[in-house]
């Protein structure tokens, strides 16, 4: 996960944030792509590291709360925001909350401009969200997902053959 932000000396900048962080995080958060390289030097790094560990322990609610806090400091158009939203979608799927998964998958899709060919890092989430919502799947979706769509979501009403 890479999280990036912007820092300013303008005292009115915080007026643009939706709400204040309850963890008092700075506006700028930069993390390495490899989760194994997160050292926990900053509070944001520690929060993401803790969220990763909580996810490994299947404590998804707590992991989600920490990631939402870090995401709230990111610009909606940033790759960091999309990366965290992608992780939150996966967490919601693991929790069994399909409505939240579809909403977050749709949000990533909208942020990317609903492309025909989806970047690999978002392909699984966007493809499954599109299948569940009845939208056309990306052209680069794996064959097993196409088969899943044909078997369980083939008619327009999205009724499953389960």
């Amino acid at each position: 996960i890479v999280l990036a932000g912007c820092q300013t000396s303008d005292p009115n900048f915080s007026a643009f944030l939706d709400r204040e962080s309850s963890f008092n995080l700075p506006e700028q958060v930069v993390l390495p792509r490899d989760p194994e390289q997160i050292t926990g030097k900053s509070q944001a790094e520690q929060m993401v590291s803790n969220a990763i560990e909580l996810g490994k322990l299947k404590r998804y609610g707590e992991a989600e709360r920490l990631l939402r806090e870090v995401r709230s400091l990111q610009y909606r158009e940033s790759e960091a925001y999309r990366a965290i939203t992608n992780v939150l979608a996966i967490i919601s799927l693991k929790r069994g909350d399909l409505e939240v998964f579809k909403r977050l998958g749709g949000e990533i899709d909208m942020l990317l401009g609903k492309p025909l060919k989806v970047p690999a890092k978002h392909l699984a989430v966007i493809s499954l969200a599109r299948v569940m919502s009845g939208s056309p799947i990306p052209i680069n979706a794996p064959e097993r997902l196409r088969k899943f769509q044909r078997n369980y979501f083939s008619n327009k009403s999205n009724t499953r053959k389960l």
Side-chain angles (χ1 to χ4, degrees), residues 137-156:
I137 62 174
I139 60 174
N140 58 332
E143 182 55 37
R144 68 180 187 266
L145 187 70
R146 294 177 191 284
K147 186 176 179 183
F148 176 76
Q149 181 185 36
R150 283 192 302 273
N151 289 339
Y152 298 103
F153 294 89
S154 60
N155 62 16
K156 302 256 184 219

Side-chain angles (χ1 to χ4, degrees), residues 1-4 18 67-68 70-88 103-104 107-108 111 122:
I1 300 174
V2 175
L3 306 178
D18 293 333
L67 290 172
R68 284 188 184 279
V70 176
R71 185 179 82 148
S72 71
L73 298 173
Q74 307 306 310
Y75 292 107
R76 282 184 56 88
E77 296 80 23
S78 72
E79 181 55 37
Y81 187 91
R82 290 189 297 265
I84 295 172
T85 303
N86 197 71
V87 172
L88 289 170
R103 183 181 54 76
L104 291 169
E107 182 179 350
I108 298 167
L111 290 169
H122 302 297

Side-chain angles (χ1 to χ4, degrees), residues 76-121:
R76 282 184 56 88
E77 296 80 23
S78 72
E79 181 55 37
Y81 187 91
R82 290 189 297 265
I84 295 172
T85 303
N86 197 71
V87 172
L88 289 170
I90 293 168
I91 287 172
S92 66
L93 187 61
K94 288 182 177 186
R95 291 177 67 190
D97 194 341
L98 298 180
E99 290 304 314
V100 171
F101 173 80
K102 287 191 318 189
R103 183 181 54 76
L104 291 169
E107 182 179 350
I108 298 167
D109 205 8
M110 292 299 292
L111 290 169
L112 291 172
K114 291 196 165 272
L116 290 175
K117 187 174 182 180
V118 174
K121 58 189 157 196

